[in-house]
Amino acid sequence: QLERSFSLGNVAKTDIFEAQADLETIMARLVTQQKNFKISKRQLYEISLLEAKPNHDIKLDAPIENIDAATASEWLEVIENNNYDILIAQKDLENSKNSVKTSDAEFAPTLSVNGSYTNSYSGSTCSDTDSLTGKSENQSITLNLSLPIFTGGKNLYTSKKARTDKYIAEVDLRRTINSTKADLDEIIYNINSNVESIKILKKTIHSNQQSYKSLKRSYEIGMRSLTDVLDAEKELFNSIRDYYDKRYDYLTSFIDFHRINGSLNINIIEELHNNMHVFNSELPLKIPELDGGKK
């Protein structure tokens, strides 16, 4: 269109150069997307060990839900009992406390008791035996008290190291709890933000669609140029792309939410699977319906 307008003297040569640059930029983005797709397929193979071909997409009518403040508070209260990073940090602290007890025990006196009992029968009543019956019986009990006075400083430094490790484990546990709760808060913000963005983008798509249809009719009767129609079509597809991006962002945030809470199980995965369908790239790009079913 620009080349034809240039031949008629309606536009400058620079407009053609700008259009060519835009085209080359789009081609470069397409190459990047193809590369990213191949990398994602490779990562999928490393996880599943299967040469899977992705053929599913998110349903446009899949439910999306906000996480209210009450629900968020409940998860923040139980996260210490569910999150695996926190549970591991708690076990590390428990082990360090046991190490302190073990090192402190080296300074305490120890009391040991040993007992023995022997019984023999020679079957002879000679004078050499211990008794006229030929039987002998011995019992002994030994009580030992050990009081450590000096061991070259080994126990002292072992105790100091154990206490330092315990302090580090306590700090790590607090940091893990705080960072995990901060991550959960951020994910909840992302989920709620994605829900609101999806609602807004759905309306934006339909507004851009109406604008595109109007400009297309105006172009057909000669009131608008083809450039105006293409710009409107670009805005429409940009809003559709943003809508799909937000749907995927919501899905990944939803998975991260359950992963951090320790509630990601087979039931959640099945729920995600039920909200997907087989994707056919030959079909035209679907436009979501407005709330209430208005197309």
Side-chain angles (χ1 to χ4, degrees), residues 107-169:
F107 294 95
T110 58
L111 183 65
S112 61
V113 179
N114 296 320
S116 64
Y117 171 79
T118 59
N119 186 5
S120 65
Y121 175 64
S122 65
S124 173
T125 58
C126 298
S127 58
D128 294 338
T129 59
D130 295 336
S131 64
L132 295 177
T133 61
K135 296 181 180 180
S136 65
E137 184 177 356
N138 296 314
Q139 297 179 1
S140 67
I141 297 178
T142 305
L143 185 63
N144 296 320
L145 176 63
S146 175
L147 182 62
I149 298 177
F150 181 75
T151 57
K154 175 183 177 181
N155 293 342
L156 178 61
Y157 287 109
T158 301
S159 177
K160 288 183 178 181
K161 180 179 182 301
R163 294 181 185 280
T164 301
D165 292 340
K166 174 177 173 292
Y167 173 76
I168 294 174

Side-chain angles (χ1 to χ4, degrees), residues 14-111:
T14 55
D15 293 338
I16 298 179
F17 293 150
E18 291 177 358
Q20 183 66 31
D22 291 339
L23 176 61
E24 292 174 352
T25 301
I26 293 173
M27 295 302 296
R29 289 177 56 188
L30 179 61
V31 171
T32 301
Q33 292 297 331
Q34 291 172 343
K35 178 202 69 175
N36 293 337
F37 179 70
K38 292 179 180 178
I39 293 176
S40 297
K41 287 184 61 178
R42 180 60 187 176
Q43 292 173 344
L44 179 62
Y45 172 76
E46 292 176 357
I47 295 174
S48 63
L49 298 180
L50 296 173
E51 287 290 354
K53 180 180 179 180
N55 60 351
H56 280 70
D57 201 357
I58 302 173
K59 292 180 179 178
L60 292 182
D61 57 351
I64 56 174
E65 297 180 356
N66 278 315
I67 299 178
D68 54 34
T71 303
S73 298
E74 292 176 359
W75 280 110
L76 287 173
E77 291 178 358
V78 302
I79 194 173
E80 296 183 20
N81 299 323
N82 296 334
N83 182 266
Y84 293 110
D85 292 334
I86 295 178
L87 294 177
I88 291 173
Q90 290 174 347
K91 288 297 182 182
D92 290 340
L93 178 57
E94 182 179 344
N95 291 336
S96 64
K97 289 181 178 180
N98 292 332
S99 298
V100 172
K101 292 181 180 178
T102 302
S103 62
D104 289 345
E106 298 294 333
F107 294 95
T110 58
L111 183 65

